[in-house]
Amino acid sequence: MRCVHGTRIGMCLVLGIGLSGNAWAKRNYGTAGCGWGSQMMGPGGNQISAATTNQSTYTQAFGISSGTSNCLPSKEMAVVMKQEEFLAANLNTLQKEMAQGRGETLSAFADILGCPSAVQKEATEKLAKGYQTIFKSPGIEGVLDTAKEELKKDETLKNQCTIVG
């Protein structure tokens, strides 16, 4: 199947996203992405129907630019993408340092998650304590989402860190 002609493009997109893994577990949408389809089908629903709804109603593009329909606003999405890029470049080192409970990459990760220097120590300790849970999550998105959830469990970090996503 060539991904060139009208109706096949959506199917190719769904298949391509589907092959990228199951790292979307903590997000409000499934492999079809955000948009009305994600709201109708949910993260575990029929993703082909969600993608078709998104494509036919153009709600995904609108949702991304406006921050509606389970989509993050462009500014927040840029932050999340930066966080994902950091993880992609530093995952092995971060995993080692998080297991040890210290290191420059671990501190940089807390920083990129929006934790100011006043709570860096607490943030790195919380991430280190959550190591087993964080790295059980599949893929970079799963690790990122779970790390954020671990930080949000602590009221001080939840209030001090500007966690996006």
Side-chain angles (χ1 to χ4, degrees):
M1 175 169 72
R2 291 180 49 201
C3 294
V4 177
H5 303 297
T7 58
R8 293 185 183 172
I9 290 173
M11 183 59 90
C12 291
L13 179 63
V14 169
L15 290 174
I17 291 172
L19 296 174
S20 68
N22 189 17
W24 304 71
K26 299 276 187 197
R27 303 187 189 260
N28 292 329
Y29 50 82
T31 56
C34 61
W36 278 355
S38 72
Q39 292 180 301
M40 290 173 35
M41 301 299 164
N46 185 321
Q47 296 304 296
I48 293 174
S49 294
T52 302
T53 301
N54 288 342
Q55 186 177 13
S56 64
T57 60
Y58 302 103
T59 58
Q60 194 168 45
F62 177 76
I64 290 170
S65 62
S66 65
T68 59
S69 302
N70 286 337
C71 300
L72 291 174
S74 332
K75 187 176 180 182
E76 287 186 20
M77 193 62 205
V79 171
V80 171
M81 288 176 69
K82 184 177 178 182
Q83 293 168 343
E84 289 173 354
E85 288 171 8
F86 175 87
L87 275 175
N90 299 292
L91 192 62
N92 290 336
T93 305
L94 179 64
Q95 189 170 9
K96 289 175 191 172
E97 289 183 7
M98 201 179 288
Q100 296 169 349
R102 58 180 159 43
E104 290 180 20
T105 306
L106 179 56
S107 294
F109 184 53
D111 184 53
I112 206 163
L113 291 177
C115 298
S117 57
V119 294
Q120 280 278 321
K121 186 176 186 233
E122 292 90 342
T124 57
E125 287 173 357
K126 185 71 173 172
L127 290 167
K129 286 179 185 173
Y131 169 81
Q132 293 292 332
T133 304
I134 292 168
F135 282 97
K136 275 185 185 177
S137 303
I140 289 171
E141 293 93 351
V143 169
L144 180 59
D145 290 346
T146 307
K148 291 175 182 181
E149 290 302 316
E150 287 297 311
L151 291 178
K152 289 177 185 177
K153 289 178 183 178
D154 183 288
E155 281 301 312
T156 301
L157 297 175
K158 183 179 179 180
N159 295 327
Q160 294 286 320
C161 300
T162 55
I163 303 164
V164 174

